[in-house]
Amino acid sequence: MTTLNTELRTFYEARQQQIPAEIREIMQRAGQELADSGQANHALTVGDKAPHFTLPSATGQTLDLDALLAEGPVVLTFYRGAWCPYCNIALRSLQQHHDAITARGARLLAVSPQIPDESLTLAEKHDLAFDVLSDLGSHTAKQFGLAFDLPDDLTAVYDKLGFDLQRVNDGHPRTLPLPATYVIDRDGVIRWAFVNTDYTTRAEPTDILAALDALS
């Protein structure tokens, strides 16, 4: 069975051939600068207490982390937005494993800085059965130590590509979260964490399931 990261790598290699060299250079330089910044070292990790948050879902609900943890563990994944093809691939993979996650008594939440309408479009496009939440201004991502600002030249590239982050991120076009996934136990403690500055790499669903199994 093909792993998620194998699928992501295959997509990345095909994508690189379609992107002009000057844009590839900007993207690669920004990625290296982010990796060198040590941003990932500031993110919450295993043993840390998950910050409390209340966020709106794509379907108009308001979800409270503490209330969800009273019912069972939570799998919390941060993604950049519906405009990001790597995020789409990762979320589709999580959907394929959603039944296995809920069978272990856990609730899956996906969080991005985009507005609820964009989240709803994404959820409908991929027929997502889990909650997709909007973290406008990346306040929750900041609490988890995941938020960073895009450099000016990469922001300009994204504008040129038509991502329109000014609109979809409700006036916060430069701030995005690092790709991250957490398994949080009922006491609100992070028991497993994946954080990476490389947006083309994501948590493997099989590793998430193993982390949930380890809780019991």
Side-chain angles (χ1 to χ4, degrees):
M1 183 178 178
T2 302
T3 66
L4 169 58
N5 282 293
T6 298
E7 184 180 356
L8 289 168
R9 176 51 48 176
T10 299
F11 177 84
Y12 170 81
E13 291 172 353
R15 181 88 163 181
Q16 289 301 290
Q17 299 174 16
Q18 302 168 356
I19 298 175
E22 64 274 15
I23 292 181
R24 281 205 312 271
E25 182 182 348
I26 292 171
M27 289 178 165
Q28 290 167 359
R29 184 172 64 249
Q32 189 60 55
E33 289 174 352
L34 182 58
D36 293 343
S37 72
Q39 175 75 39
N41 297 327
H42 300 301
L44 297 187
T45 190
V46 173
D48 290 332
K49 189 82 170 180
H52 171 264
F53 63 80
T54 302
L55 293 173
S57 76
T59 56
Q61 298 176 293
T62 299
L63 297 186
D64 179 277
L65 179 62
D66 290 350
L68 296 177
L69 290 174
E71 301 172 1
V74 165
V75 175
L76 178 66
T77 190
F78 288 85
Y79 69 101
R80 305 196 307 161
W83 53 271
C84 169
Y86 301 93
C87 298
N88 281 266
I89 292 170
L91 292 173
R92 286 201 304 269
S93 182
L94 285 172
Q95 176 58 39
Q96 291 167 4
H97 292 81
H98 184 241
D99 287 348
I101 290 171
T102 58
R104 288 161 170 80
R107 183 79 169 261
L108 174 60
L109 307 175
V111 178
S112 84
Q114 62 186 7
I115 58 177
D117 280 353
E118 290 293 313
S119 298
L120 181 60
T121 300
L122 174 76
E124 291 175 340
K125 177 182 177 182
H126 299 306
D127 198 22
L128 302 181
F130 52 87
D131 294 292
V132 183
L133 308 181
S134 291
D135 178 26
L136 300 182
S138 295
H139 298 299
T140 298
K142 290 174 184 175
Q143 288 183 292
F144 278 82
L146 302 171
F148 71 96
D149 286 341
L150 296 169
D152 290 340
D153 53 357
L154 186 55
T155 301
V157 164
Y158 285 174
D159 287 343
K160 186 175 181 180
L161 293 174
F163 293 158
D164 195 10
L165 298 188
Q166 178 71 27
R167 180 185 66 81
V168 301
N169 285 1
D170 194 35
H172 302 274
R174 292 184 57 186
T175 306
L176 297 176
L178 297 180
T181 300
Y182 294 100
V183 172
I184 306 169
D185 71 14
R186 296 188 66 162
D187 294 323
V189 177
I190 296 169
R191 294 301 181 189
W192 184 84
F194 170 93
V195 179
N196 202 314
T197 58
D198 181 2
Y199 61 83
T200 71
T201 303
R202 303 299 169 106
E204 286 289 350
T206 51
D207 292 339
I208 296 170
L209 297 177
L212 289 171
D213 289 338
L215 292 181
S216 56

